[in-house]
Amino acid sequence: MPRTEASIQVAAWGPADTPAGVFRLLPVRLARDLRLISRWMNDPAVALFWELAGPPSVTESHVRAQLAGDGGSVPCLGVLEGRPMSYWEIYRADLDPLARHCPVRPHDIGVHLLIGAAADRGRGLGTTLIRAVAELALDWRPSCTRVLAEPDVRNTRCVAAFLGAGFRFRGEIDLPAKRAALMVRDRAPRRSL
């Protein structure tokens, strides 16, 4: 599949050392990952916000559309200490329909995520992993000055996780499928030596 300058090479980002252990984003391979992601999408707590519950074909259609694109959105498994435990979508916000609903800058990176197992939720892992992914994006994409997210405003746990990871709440925005909290993490200025 041809890649353009929009392509986000998440596979090259490598691991991140976090307080919870070594974390890595692995681009989704449907043959390997569909069953697991579909199971997560059918968890009632996830389905409330992702709206992809149903047979595996529902999840497959959603993920396949990204895999067939130009690389501007990359679906990934989040793997902590070798165990797949979260699903992420890393995307070019400036090339996404999001750009029609809020101000974005060239090369802004957007993030969608879910923590898969209920046992992994409510323990602060979301905050830890969001911080790690934002830092990976900013480290590996020098042209990116911000990382954005737009969780559903009703998903207060998710909004709190982004705030804890250093994102700022920039207001509510109306998207076609939800009222969202626009969250922004700016690149920290480099300190002079």
Side-chain angles (χ1 to χ4, degrees), residues 62-75:
H62 175 80
V63 174
R64 192 173 295 284
Q66 291 175 76
L67 294 172
D70 66 0
S73 181
V74 182

Side-chain angles (χ1 to χ4, degrees), residues 37 39-53 113-118 121 155:
I37 298 168
R39 187 174 78 228
W40 291 341
M41 292 296 182
N42 279 282
D43 178 306
V46 172
L48 178 64
F49 299 109
W50 279 78
E51 299 178 349
L52 290 172
L113 80 140
L114 67 86
I115 304 295
R121 297 182 205 135
N155 193 343

Side-chain angles (χ1 to χ4, degrees), residues 4-159:
T4 68
E5 68 277 353
S7 180
I8 304 169
Q9 301 297 321
V10 175
W13 290 5
D17 290 321
T18 76
V22 177
F23 179 75
R24 174 183 290 278
L25 289 172
L26 295 178
V28 166
R29 290 195 327 236
L30 280 173
R32 175 192 69 196
D33 305 324
L34 179 59
R35 172 180 262 144
L36 178 61
I37 298 168
S38 180
R39 187 174 78 228
W40 291 341
M41 292 296 182
N42 279 282
D43 178 306
V46 172
L48 178 64
F49 299 109
W50 279 78
E51 299 178 349
L52 290 172
S57 61
V58 173
T59 299
E60 180 179 10
S61 177
H62 175 80
V63 174
R64 192 173 295 284
Q66 291 175 76
L67 294 172
D70 66 0
S73 181
V74 182
C76 298
L77 282 184
V79 179
L80 183 62
E81 289 293 303
R83 180 178 62 90
M85 49 73 62
S86 54
Y87 173 75
W88 299 74
E89 294 172 351
I90 311 299
Y91 64 96
R92 282 280 304 270
D94 59 327
L95 303 178
D96 189 80
L98 174 66
R100 293 192 296 263
H101 302 280
C102 66
V104 297
R105 296 179 187 162
H107 305 286
D108 279 352
I109 294 292
V111 176
H112 298 142
L113 80 140
L114 67 86
I115 304 295
D120 287 330
R121 297 182 205 135
R123 300 178 24 212
L125 281 176
T127 297
T128 297
L129 301 181
I130 290 167
R131 180 179 293 113
V133 168
E135 289 171 1
L136 284 169
L138 293 168
D139 286 348
W140 284 90
R141 306 250 333 153
S143 57
C144 173
T145 61
R146 301 184 315 170
V147 179
L148 308 178
E150 25 49 67
D152 190 301
V153 294
R154 298 171 299 150
N155 193 343
T156 56
R157 290 175 122 185
C158 189
V159 171

